[in-house]
Amino acid sequence: MKRLYIDSDKFDKNAVDNLGISELVLQENAARAVADAVRQRVKFGSKILAICGKGNNASDAIAALRMLSVEYECYALLLKDDLNHNAKIQLNIAKNVGVELLDFECDFSKFDCVVDGIFGSGFRGEMEPKIANLIEQINGLNALKIAVDMPSGVSNFGVASQVFKADFTICMGVLKLGLYSDMAKDFAGEIIQANLGLNESKFSYGNSDYLVLLDDLELPNRALKNVSKGDFGHAFIACGDMSGAAKISANSALKMGAGRVSVVNLTQNILNLDPQIILKNSFDGADAIAFGMGLGGASFDFSKLINRLCVVDADAFYQPWIRDFAMSKLAILTPHPKEFSSLLRLCEIGEFSVDEIQNNRFKLAREFSSKFPSILVLKGANVIIAKDGVLYVAPQGSAKLAVGGSGDALSGIILAYLANKFSPLKAAINGVLAHQKSAQIYKGNDYSFTPNDIIEGLAWL
């Protein structure tokens, strides 16, 4: 796992005030990271443009131009006249070594690389039309695009109507939470963490959120040989009106290593289950239970499951009793944004549209998990797992997973981890990572991916 922070302002200040590193030294290291990214990807002698605001991001971008000025043709476009003190220093040096200043009337098509030093992590709200129009023009160029710290238009509170679309984002000092929102996923490109001259353990401190990566994936352990199916748990799935959801969930749980998997039919419908799935008429003997997927109008006294290890999904989030499961430390809740909207309403946190949720995913996930002891798995392009106000962000989501039944498979995968005696938090994190990795290793076209491919991929993690 890597730590995620909202911003690095207090760490920069601590490095200067308490560790004795000057701000210009920090900026030299930031600029060097940008310059190195250019050198590794842009042909010698190419034309480089930095678009600069007035703050430290501008200072970093201008200093990077100075470092590149012998190897490349370097130009700066200043959007503001009132540069801060450090940016003025860097600009003076850059001009002395041959960096040229341009205006808005220049021909942008001649540039091979554009560096975004406009806003960084300080962006809020909407940008003025002149800058938005410029960014739209730059986004249309056939040039490498590098953002300093964060692409302009991205913040921890969502994205603006116009956003710099980076191929690479050089994130300074620490990784920023806002880069991993769903809304930022199509704009951040590859994210590179820059060292500012201090090991991260010395530079940053205090509480953080976490980025969970595929390297963090822990698979169910079958190292011992003297075992039986009972050692790996009995997973139960409630089958409602739409039986396909329960079948996908059951097959996923079995493939992910549950010792036995049973389906409890809550309807009068005839089920044609895979022979390796057991049909039950009660939840007696279950080590962990999943329900909600495909529930529809099927009825059952779900209060009997409140004190059981369980994965709660889909239609359950529209039921008034969902608040009881939100209050359970044994429950993992797996809503998508629309379902999360209903959950927030029923848990009396507030009324939020899907768009409001997508623009405030981190804030609302943190608020929910601070008030309710269950584990939240908020599905999306970058899945958020939340517990006790701490966020664990899994950024490996793929467009392949945007298919009906994908969430049912995820519920079954998490259920298998619960059956294998993983804690609810570890079951949620590992279940999400296994789900994402199964999509990543799929060799076909993105549009051809199905829940059956998720299940098949679990065998090769």
Side-chain angles (χ1 to χ4, degrees), residues 30 46 97 108 142 253 280 339 348 352 359 363 370 400 412:
S46 298
V97 298
F108 295 112
N142 182 25
K280 294 277 190 176
E339 293 160 355
E348 300 180 348
F352 299 93
N359 278 306
K363 177 180 179 293
S370 296
K400 298 172 190 173

Side-chain angles (χ1 to χ4, degrees), residues 329-345:
K329 293 182 178 180
L330 302 177
I332 301 172
L333 313 184
T334 61
H336 59 50
K338 184 178 179 182
E339 293 160 355
F340 192 45
S341 174
S342 178
L343 177 63
L344 292 173
R345 177 178 57 81

Side-chain angles (χ1 to χ4, degrees), residues 217 256 413 417 430-439 458 461:
L217 175 61
M256 197 67 242
I413 294 167
Y417 274 101
N430 283 290
V432 168
L433 291 177
H435 187 248
Q436 292 179 339
K437 187 172 182 179
S438 181
L458 298 176
L461 301 181

Side-chain angles (χ1 to χ4, degrees), residues 60-214:
D60 295 344
I62 294 167
L65 290 182
R66 182 247 302 162
M67 294 176 181
L68 295 166
S69 61
V70 174
E71 305 149 80
Y72 300 89
E73 293 183 36
C74 295
Y75 303 83
L77 173 60
L78 304 182
L79 303 183
K80 302 288 183 180
D81 295 325
D82 53 338
L83 301 179
N84 73 10
H85 178 70
N86 289 335
K88 287 178 181 178
I89 292 174
Q90 296 290 1
L91 179 61
N92 184 58
I93 301 171
K95 288 193 294 185
N96 288 339
V97 298
V99 174
E100 296 185 32
L101 298 186
L102 301 176
D103 57 33
F104 277 86
E105 304 307 318
C106 70
D107 178 13
F108 295 112
S109 65
K110 69 181 181 181
F111 293 105
D112 304 292
C113 175
V114 180
V115 177
D116 168 21
I118 306 174
F119 293 115
S121 58
F123 177 78
R124 299 288 187 278
E126 288 294 335
M127 62 185 69
E128 58 189 89
K130 185 177 182 180
I131 297 176
N133 291 336
L134 174 63
I135 289 177
E136 182 179 17
Q137 187 176 351
I138 295 299
N139 283 346
L141 298 179
N142 182 25
L144 182 75
K145 301 175 187 70
I146 296 176
V148 177
D149 206 29
M150 295 179 76
S152 291
V154 171
S155 75
N156 290 303
F157 310 99
V159 299
S161 56
Q162 190 60 251
V163 182
F164 183 88
K165 190 169 185 178
D167 298 299
F168 295 89
T169 295
I170 314 299
C171 196
M172 302 306 174
V174 295
L175 294 175
K176 310 302 191 299
L177 182 64
L179 288 171
Y180 296 95
S181 72
D182 279 16
M183 307 296 284
K185 197 173 181 75
D186 287 318
F187 300 102
E190 182 180 336
I191 299 168
I192 300 171
Q193 184 178 359
N195 185 303
L196 300 186
L198 282 170
N199 183 280
E200 185 180 352
S201 64
K202 298 292 184 182
F203 180 69
S204 61
Y205 55 87
N207 296 331
S208 72
D209 297 307
Y210 296 92
L211 187 70
V212 291
L213 304 172
L214 294 183

